[in-house]
Amino acid sequence: MEIGKILKRIGIDDEPSSLNPNLENLKKLQESYILNVPYENLDFIFKKEFSVNILKIYEKIVCNNRGGICYESNTLFVYLLKYLGYDAKMIFAKVEDTSYIGANYPHLALLVTIDNKDYLVDVANGRNVRVPLALDEDTIVESEDIQYQIQPCANGEYALMYNYKSKGWQIRYQFSTKKKSITDFSCVFENKKNYEQFSSYAPLLVTKALKDGRITLTNDMITYKENSDKRVWGISLENRAEVLRDYFNIQL
């Protein structure tokens, strides 16, 4: 695997040696990844083999210009961060909204430590916080009309909270800071019965952030929102491949 190719895939032309492990560069890497690599579950829809093997993820996302779900994108991203010298690890999270992911499937997120401070980092959760969030601060950030904040939980875990258009704070997902490895997630795909059930349940979702908005493809609809401009139109099954090519640069 070539780090330069990973950086190019996420829209960064800098030499790896220039990307020192600090908060400013972490923000740059996270935003660049989110703007260039979509969250997409096409392999579930088309019953293609999934894998948490880093070489297969690299081939899919970097070589084949695809996106991925959390197990793929966050695995690739933590590999990049570690190569660049970051103190980064995988963690488990439980998503409250299970409309696009089965209840028995833990979300994979990342924890990055910089100057003895822990930051939640996530590049693969669809519409989500776009910057590293410190665990023990009351920082509130906003993107796509949604405010985000981390709050401690009584059980020693933390919750990523969101407030959409000032309608009140809700839990996006709850997470532990305990370190996990990719083998802890391999069971997600090794259980054939669970995998088949999930792949049959999951609706199509391909979504990519724009600088000031987002473009999203579902089964029969595409939504394009940028600044105050929002457009929604239907698509047919026959046009799906064309939409993936033209709007997400994905060719299956």
Side-chain angles (χ1 to χ4, degrees):
M1 297 192 299
E2 297 182 33
I3 292 298
K5 287 186 176 180
I6 298 177
L7 291 173
K8 184 177 180 180
R9 173 68 181 92
I10 67 174
I12 293 180
D13 295 325
D14 307 49
E15 291 294 326
S17 58
S18 70
L19 295 168
N20 298 322
N22 55 47
L23 183 57
E24 181 181 356
N25 281 333
L26 178 60
K27 291 178 180 179
K28 176 180 179 178
L29 290 163
Q30 181 174 355
E31 180 183 41
S32 296
Y33 195 105
I34 290 171
L35 290 175
N36 287 280
V37 182
Y39 176 98
E40 55 105 328
N41 63 358
L42 289 164
D43 284 353
F44 282 119
I45 302 303
F46 297 117
K47 303 297 187 293
K48 292 188 176 181
E49 179 183 357
F50 251 99
S51 176
V52 291
N53 180 284
I54 183 62
L55 293 176
K56 292 183 178 181
I57 293 171
Y58 174 86
E59 180 181 7
K60 176 181 177 180
I61 295 178
V62 179
C63 300
N64 296 331
N65 208 59
R66 291 279 303 279
I69 60 174
C70 67
Y71 307 109
E72 298 170 307
S73 274
N74 278 324
T75 294
L76 182 65
F77 196 61
V78 77
Y79 175 86
L80 173 63
L81 292 180
K82 288 182 176 180
Y83 181 93
L84 296 174
Y86 285 90
D87 180 2
K89 65 182 181 181
M90 298 176 176
I91 57 173
F92 271 162
K94 177 173 173 53
V95 178
E96 291 296 309
D97 177 11
T98 59
S99 61
Y100 70 99
I101 190 167
N104 295 325
Y105 290 83
H107 176 60
L108 166 57
L110 306 177
L111 202 67
V112 181
T113 303
I114 300 176
D115 296 332
N116 297 315
K117 185 178 292 186
D118 291 331
Y119 295 87
L120 175 69
V121 174
D122 194 345
V123 296
N125 195 230
R127 189 166 65 169
N128 195 9
V129 60
R130 297 189 182 191
V131 297
L133 267 184
L135 266 56
D136 295 314
E137 293 182 359
D138 295 327
T139 304
I140 295 176
V141 299
E142 184 172 346
S143 66
E144 301 182 62
D145 299 322
I146 305 176
Q147 292 180 314
Y148 296 95
Q149 184 183 40
I150 291 179
Q151 294 182 0
C153 301
N155 58 4
E157 297 186 344
Y158 292 84
L160 175 62
M161 310 295 296
Y162 73 97
N163 181 13
Y164 180 56
K165 293 185 176 180
S166 301
K167 295 180 180 179
W169 289 98
Q170 300 181 62
I171 297 177
R172 181 60 184 268
Y173 56 69
Q174 190 167 323
F175 61 94
S176 166
T177 60
K178 184 178 179 182
K179 181 179 181 179
K180 296 294 182 179
S181 68
I182 195 60
T183 56
D184 293 315
F185 296 89
S186 61
C187 61
V188 173
F189 306 110
E190 288 176 353
N191 187 315
K192 185 176 180 181
K193 181 179 179 181
N194 286 346
Y195 175 78
E196 288 178 349
Q197 180 180 5
F198 179 47
S199 61
S200 298
Y201 166 85
L204 171 66
L205 178 61
V206 184
T207 181
K208 187 175 73 170
L210 304 173
K211 194 69 176 179
D212 296 299
R214 175 167 297 277
I215 183 167
T216 299
L217 169 67
T218 55
N219 284 324
D220 55 3
M221 185 177 297
I222 189 165
T223 302
Y224 186 98
K225 185 178 186 300
E226 191 165 23
N227 297 316
S228 59
D229 177 27
K230 182 178 180 179
R231 290 172 285 160
V232 180
W233 65 96
I235 65 166
S236 65
L237 181 61
E238 292 76 14
N239 290 337
R240 187 181 289 173
E242 182 180 353
V243 169
L244 288 170
R245 182 196 65 206
D246 293 347
Y247 289 93
F248 300 96
N249 198 24
I250 292 176
Q251 299 191 54
L252 300 176

